[in-house]
Amino acid sequence: LGPLFSLLLAQAKATPGKLEASPAAKAASFATTVCCYSRALLKYIKVNVLGEHRTDPTNARLEEAQLLVYLREARFQNPFVAEFVAFAP
């Protein structure tokens, strides 16, 4: 994660589900949602599509655990994006 996304993720975890009217808060929320889902989708591709992690059993468990954490964080940030990602053409 870059410095922008790290800061936004920390802010999102501090105030989950809080809807604010300011443009800066909306932009931060949008960027955090994009970050969470980008990270989760990239990890999903790495783990379930490429399967590179399977050469080492310890690494496989770690990668799969990280995938689960990333997916949960993304869903917690905005559960509606998961539905869009799953069903969008």
Side-chain angles (χ1 to χ4, degrees), residues 3-89:
L4 172 66
F5 286 140
S6 297
L7 177 63
L8 291 173
L9 278 176
Q11 290 173 354
K13 289 178 183 176
T15 58
K18 187 176 180 183
L19 180 63
E20 297 184 19
S22 76
K26 287 181 181 180
S29 176
F30 179 73
T32 303
T33 300
V34 170
C35 170
C36 287
Y37 278 94
S38 295
R39 187 171 67 163
L41 287 172
L42 289 172
K43 182 62 79 171
Y44 177 85
I45 291 168
K46 180 179 180 185
V47 171
N48 290 331
V49 177
L50 299 177
E52 296 173 343
H53 67 293
R54 293 185 186 128
T55 57
D56 178 18
T58 304
N59 187 40
R61 285 191 298 275
L62 176 66
E63 293 284 339
E64 290 168 3
Q66 284 179 338
L67 172 61
L68 190 58
V69 168
Y70 292 171
L71 289 170
R72 286 180 178 159
E73 286 178 349
R75 185 172 182 269
F76 183 76
Q77 173 63 23
N78 188 335
F80 302 107
V81 177
E83 185 175 326
F84 175 77
V85 169
F87 296 108

